[in-house]
Amino acid sequence: MSEPRHDWSLEEIQALFALPFNDLLYRAQCVHRAHFDPNQVQVSTLLSIKTGACSEDCGYCSQSARHDTSLAREKLLPLEEVVAAARAAREKGANRFCMGAAWRNPTDKNLERVIEMIQAVRGLGMQTCVTLGMLTPAQARRLREAGLDYYNHNLDTSPEFYGNVITTRTFQDRLDTLAAVREAGINVCSGGILGMGESGTDRARMLQELANMPQHPQSVPINMLVQIEGTPLYGTEELDPLEFVRSIAVARILMPRSYVRLSAGRNEMSDEMQALCFLAGANSVFYGERLLTADNPGADHDQALFERLGLRMEQTELEADKALCCGP
Ligand code: SAM
Ligand code: DTB
Ligand code: SF4
């Protein structure tokens, strides 16, 4: 197996996008099979632990205080509510619990409250992920010490298109947070959003930025824009679904060992479109009826889909250990 590359040129990536669809999917499927069980998906459940009233102006987001989206605001949730949600997610089969807060960045006081949540969720035998905005290197180290498994912070789009979507923090700010997370030894979860009106070159550039990081993010969420009324991006022309599938395939080829997550927007996708995304190398999803504020297919729908496709959900470590020592 060859070592993953970190020197992809834009031309090479554009040449992948330009392949005939069948050739591209075949290449992606070969890469996928060389590194992963092709019939297994990792499932993460999301919970918004602090909702709305965010100071940032991200053009896609329901939670920005600058957009009129009629979203109910909520302060940081009490610990017991978070643990109850994580337990329910575990019972439905999720092996990772991802907690998101509508902050530009957490204060050190906020961080200590979130750490209590991380420790309680780990206590349930689940992997933990949080997405809290920008972090300082010291905050990233504090999260690592507390046992956090993954930190999600997306590039969102290409550096060139970025200013059309967000003005209150820079693309470089995002790279700095990701470097702090990586250097603290936390697994990086980073990807972006397609369907925001970006060009094909922007999609290729975003994937190039992700693939040419010093280490590939362990997890790469590819979101389809969920159009939210009242946000500046509401009404954007929809992306050709096959172009979305191609982007998943290219992500798989560029980052062969990363989990590529078919993320937001599944509620608006047909089962057949999702099946194509799995064929293109997606091997992770957000699972449960809500993302942070938007709807997601319910667990029942997903279980039926996995059944139809013969996909198995990755287990928690505890379940995997039990299966090893006690048999089926
Ligand atoms: N406030 C933190 C931040 O921005 O880093 C954490 C939460 S934020 C909601 C996490 C990510 O969700 C964003 O970076 C974006 O990629 C994704 N996201 C938010 N709203 C979305 C939407 N309407 N459609 C698709 N993805 C979205
Ligand atoms: C990611 O890439 N997508 C998730 C998670 N990371 C935090 C969030 C999707 C949000 C979709 C819109 C909403 O629920 O408000
Ligand atoms: Fe705030 Fe995050 Fe939404 Fe941007 S994406 S407005 S930082 S919650």
Side-chain angles (χ1 to χ4, degrees):
M1 227 182 286
S2 56
E3 278 306 299
R5 288 177 50 191
H6 301 266
D7 60 352
W8 290 93
S9 72
L10 180 60
E11 293 68 32
E12 283 176 300
I13 298 173
Q14 287 178 315
L16 289 172
F17 270 101
L19 284 172
F21 188 77
N22 288 347
D23 291 346
L24 176 60
L25 259 69
Y26 177 71
R27 272 194 63 175
Q29 185 57 207
C30 290
V31 171
H32 189 44
R33 282 172 183 266
H35 297 91
F36 286 99
D37 175 339
N39 299 311
Q40 186 154 298
V41 276
Q42 184 275 326
V43 295
S44 295
T45 292
L46 278 166
L47 176 69
S48 181
I49 56 170
K50 184 268 169 184
T51 307
C54 184
S55 61
E56 303 303 279
D57 70 351
C58 311
Y60 46 77
C61 189
S62 62
Q63 307 201 63
S64 166
R66 299 163 194 243
H67 316 324
D68 189 7
T69 61
S70 73
L71 179 77
R73 306 170 165 195
E74 240 179 300
K75 290 200 180 124
L76 194 59
L77 294 180
L79 179 64
E80 312 74 69
E81 246 180 81
V82 175
V83 175
R87 193 174 283 120
R90 186 187 63 180
E91 262 145 41
K92 297 218 155 148
N95 74 347
R96 190 177 307 159
F97 196 64
C98 179
M99 296 165 267
W103 288 321
R104 172 180 167 83
N105 57 270
T107 62
D108 288 343
K109 217 167 127 196
N110 294 147
L111 204 68
E112 293 309 314
R113 299 248 336 251
V114 174
I115 282 172
E116 288 176 22
M117 299 175 184
I118 293 169
Q119 291 175 332
V121 173
R122 287 195 99 220
L124 300 174
M126 298 178 88
Q127 297 170 3
T128 51
C129 177
V130 296
T131 179
L132 314 171
M134 297 190 280
L135 289 185
T136 63
Q139 289 180 319
R141 288 194 293 272
R142 177 78 189 98
L143 285 169
R144 175 66 196 139
E145 255 170 44
L148 178 69
D149 298 299
Y150 287 81
Y151 194 84
N152 165 249
H153 198 65
N154 289 338
L155 292 184
D156 278 353
T157 189
S158 70
E160 294 75 24
F161 192 70
Y162 186 88
N164 296 50
V165 182
I166 301 148
T167 69
T168 49
R169 67 170 101 155
T170 64
F171 193 83
Q172 186 58 47
D173 287 331
R174 292 189 182 252
L175 295 176
D176 292 347
T177 292
L178 289 170
V181 170
R182 188 169 52 240
E183 282 157 24
I186 300 170
N187 291 310
V188 170
C189 172
S190 187
I193 311 177
L194 310 184
M196 298 196 293
E198 75 285 344
S199 67
T201 306
D202 289 314
R203 288 187 283 279
R205 282 282 293 120
M206 180 183 89
L207 294 177
Q208 183 187 26
E209 288 284 331
L210 291 167
N212 289 350
M213 285 180 181
Q215 276 176 22
H216 294 163
Q218 283 76 13
S219 162
V220 180
I222 306 290
N223 298 274
M224 179 76 109
L225 174 69
V226 178
Q227 297 212 6
I228 295 173
E229 221 172 321
T231 60
L233 290 182
Y234 184 72
T236 303
E237 193 186 334
E238 285 185 15
L239 180 67
D240 173 1
L242 294 180
E243 181 65 15
F244 185 90
V245 178
R246 280 181 179 276
S247 308
I248 298 259
V250 174
R252 165 52 63 224
I253 295 167
L254 302 187
M255 293 169 279
R257 293 166 202 231
S258 304
Y259 280 83
V260 174
R261 182 172 308 120
L262 170 55
S263 302
R266 286 199 303 120
N267 210 36
E268 289 73 34
M269 291 176 198
S270 67
D271 286 353
E272 294 78 7
M273 155 100 172
Q274 294 185 58
L276 275 179
C277 291
F278 294 128
L279 189 65
N283 60 347
S284 169
V285 293
F286 286 122
Y287 175 70
E289 63 197 19
R290 193 158 293 276
L291 293 162
L292 289 173
T293 70
D295 291 342
N296 196 45
D300 292 349
H301 183 96
D302 278 341
Q303 283 178 14
L305 176 62
F306 297 158
E307 178 83 28
R308 285 168 74 202
L309 298 175
L311 291 173
R312 279 173 277 102
M313 294 200 271
E314 200 176 273
Q315 297 176 312
T316 62
E317 269 167 44
L318 210 67
E319 287 162 341
D321 286 350
K322 261 198 223 152
L324 262 184
C325 77
C326 316

